[in-house]
Amino acid sequence: MKSKVWLGLLSLALIIALPFGTDLILGRSWVRLLDFALLYAMLALGLNIVVGYAGLLDLGYVAFYAVGAYLYAMLASPHLGMHWPLWALLPMGALVAASFGALLGAPTLGLRGDYLAIVTMGFGEIIRIFLRNLNVTNGPAGIDLIDPIQIGGFSFGANHSLLGWDLPGIYSYYFLFIILTALIILISHRLSDSRIGRAWSAIREDEIAAKSSGLNTRHLKLMAFAMGAAFGGVSGVLFAGFQGFISPESFTMGESIMILCMVVLGGMGHISGVIMGAILLAILPEAFRPLSQFQQATFGHVWLDPANLRMLMFAIALIVVMIIRPEGLWPSPVHRRELHANDSEAGSSQKAAL
Amino acid sequence: MDIFLQQVINGLVQGSLYALVALGYTMVYGIIELVNFAHGEVVMVGALVGLSVIERMAARGDTGWGVIAIGVLVAIPSCMALGLGIERIAYRPLRKAPRLAPLISAIGVSIALQQLAALIWGRNYLHYPDVLANPQFHIGGAVITQVQLVILGITGILMLGTWVIVQKTALGRAMRASAQNPSVAGLMGVNVDRIIASTFLMGSGLAAVAGVLVGTYYGVGNHTMGFMLGLKAFTAAVLGGIGSLWGAMLGGLLLGVIENLGAGYLSSLTNGAIGSNYSDVLAFLMLIGVLIFRPSGLMGERGSEKV
Amino acid sequence: MPRLLTPIVLSLITIGLVSCGKSTEPSSASPGTLTVLIGASNPMTGPQAHLGKDNENGTRMAIEDANAQGLTIGGQKVKFELVSEDDSADPKTGTIVAQKFADQKVSGVIGHLNSGTTIPASRIYSEAGIPQISPSATNPKYTHQGFKTAFRVIPNDTQQGGELGRYVASKIGAKTVAVMDDSTQYGQGLANQFEEAAKAAGVTVLTHEHTDDKATDFQAILTNIKAKKPDIIFYGGMDAQSGPMMKQIRSLGIQAKFLTGDGGCSTEFLTLAGAAGEGAYCSLPGMPIEKMPKGEDFKKRFNAKYGEIQDYSPYCYDAVMVMIDAMKRADSTVPSKYLPELAKSNYDGVTAHISFDENGDLKGGVITVYKLLSGKWVPQDTLGGKP
């Protein structure tokens, strides 16, 4: 028991020290990247509830991120002349996104697998098209001069100093994001162990069996959509405050796909795996940036365009990881067992004829 | 009325291109239940390979449909090889994996192909050489070009050809058997691996034709051209009922016509409140509407749910 | 435990790659030479990659030219070095690139290409005190956020759209116009300004349609426009759309004239539109390059080195040169020292005479209208620009 306490304290110290160390060794852009990685971790955890827990394939998840972000941007910027505080907007973002989640969920409850995927994708696109065309969202030009996040008198956007160490905004945001990520992890964890969580896995494994054993699959599915969307809304609120400017081009279909990749690559349904997937995929494209210098150093000449090569490496990494570890990099032990128990009957399902 | 006719003609042509691409999605899905996200990129490669060939020939002064045909004939084997390679590298090792794993590797392949194409063909939007005179015909005030007619014709022939192969040949029977139940088909002496590979071959061949036709029709090719086209075709396949050949055709044509009519009439129907910018919203709402009432798409088989 | 191995190995590889990149500091400077880093951020992947590459080329050529002059600033020989990064036209990646430039202590930034990446990045440059000159971001908001470090060498949408709207009425003599845009910040911003000015000049705007910056099929909208029989069609958007669009306009049998902004005023438009492009109008900020003292020479050398100019590379060239000119006058490459001089710039570039107003916008920016005649853009009129 004692060693566990020590381990906890040690990781806490590591988490607190991380941005300082990163700044010292790699520079501030990596601290900013850490902030984004945390935002993605929250998004991935939200999508994990829908895809990982309840087994509903959602390709339009970024819509909820957008809802949260636009809510904050409209109510805390000169755009409409309103400057609401975070403590009001954060729960509101979660709530509004959750109602959008339920709104999407309601008509699609009867759909399965890939049909659901395409409908959610369509929903994501519809939201983006509206954001791009409405006046209240300022169309494609987006909303600028968004208030930095503020709690009490403490502005996260400003520079602070602590014990002689200069603390720019990206540090303050890091600690705020860490706290909220921890909160989301806690909720996810409690959910997966609760009755609801077990009911979700029942639906995921066999919906018909779940239904016939008396579970209200409608309510449960709606709840999964709403919970997942709420987390997306929260990260959206944080993103808008952090970035200070948002426009529809931040909420594309590609972003939804990337978040899905994080969940699956990390290990669906497993909190630690999903977080790892999010951090890895957020960091990888940046980690491949030095490729041009590497080429220069090795061959004395840049042979292949570094920008294309960077994304090519990223893509190859996706493929290779999936082939080596199809369950994800860090799957949950329980989930793993379920998957392998399924092996014998995999593929024996009936399929639509050609 | 002539405007309406024009919109329908344009919609049908655009829709038949969607349908050709949708066939590839639907065949692969029918047999291994995989959404082949990289299919749009195969179309792109077909278009760009065709472009390279046509450009060479156009530079020598050759013109006419023969040039396009040679472009298609070179593009088909290239895309077939590509499709086969994708299946072998990214999908076959994952056949027994959890069902989202191949989806992610497909996304990886899609990004990789885009970057490779940018390395090979460069980043510029490339011009498809004008090798056709492209005469126009008038029907009741609307215009239809020769290219449009040829696209409609070729799509029709290829659809029919695919249907004949799937329904009337031994290969097709093996395909349908593998789609129904791969393990039993395997026991009956069907080489399932080979059947899946031939499905990819057929899909990729159709993609190559679609690619060259898209390039010829719109006159432009680029390494990013496959992504949106792929998504639209996938939507069409789902609309028609994924796994169904005629569904892909119907879904494609329907989507093309809806998009065109939506862009054409939304603004006048709503008195300018909602304009052509919302035509995609209309298309997706329509899709959602169809799926609510027919959860397996328009032509999809019902009651195929796994119990 | 072996389950944990893959993640750990992967993380190690990541860290290895990163630190390998970190350790490669700018080298090859002979002793006594000061290496000055200039950052350039453009989309090098994705649908606008061709414009990103063109921007990089323009920036690189300027830096090579400046190095060839063998400048001495602040008593030290100076060598400029380009740090080019890909922002994928993604706002979030744009801020990471901006932070990277701030970490590397670049002396100035040329970029970004899109308004969507330029605006969020400008906040970081402002905090770090790094001067930023955008060669192509036209959203008026960019220079109106109160940042002292933000400049651009291209007129904003309000200026360009306004001039074109009046031009359609006065010079082309159109009575009716159909407006189209690509639903992007740039395209829609330009089209809205155009529409406003055209209306004010007495032109009837028959319709304002929207397409997409990824679209290739415009026939539904064009068929609609055909029914309304406008004198001229205006398109706010890029060449990748307007080229094929031009073809479709003619193949639908629409006889209207065609006008587009700087996004379509490129060689790419010529090749994509082919013969159908004949007679189209477009506009580019600045004087016709052939009329500028250094323009002809720039064009010749650029063509020899990188091929045809796509769109904004001359503006990138000017942006670098204006920045270096300010450094020379301040006799310092330190941002805080030369920033005040940059604001006071008065420089003859290859695209225009460059000086900035109090916001950092180009002062009295002129716009030249071109017409496509026998396969070439021929300058017609130069508009605006009160000296």
Side-chain angles (χ1 to χ4, degrees), chain C residues 165-166 168-170 173-177 194-205 231:
Chain C
R166 288 186 283 279
V168 160
S170 63
K175 299 269 181 296
T176 54
V177 59
F194 170 86
E195 182 177 347
E196 211 169 281
K199 270 183 188 157
V203 180
T204 314
V205 176
D231 293 341

Side-chain angles (χ1 to χ4, degrees), chain C residues 5-23:
Chain C
L5 216 60
T6 327
I8 291 170
V9 169
L10 260 170
S11 328
L12 284 180
I13 293 173
T14 314
I15 292 167
L17 262 172
V18 171
S19 35
C20 144
K22 175 78 180 173
S23 60

Side-chain angles (χ1 to χ4, degrees), chain B residues 220-257:
Chain B
V220 59
N222 176 262
H223 66 282
T224 56
M225 68 188 278
F227 187 70
M228 268 323 274
L229 184 64
L231 281 184
K232 286 279 169 66
F234 176 42
T235 310
V238 173
L239 181 64
I242 192 157
S244 149
L245 287 183
W246 295 112
M249 181 87 190
L250 183 68
L253 292 179
L254 211 56
L255 188 66
V257 173

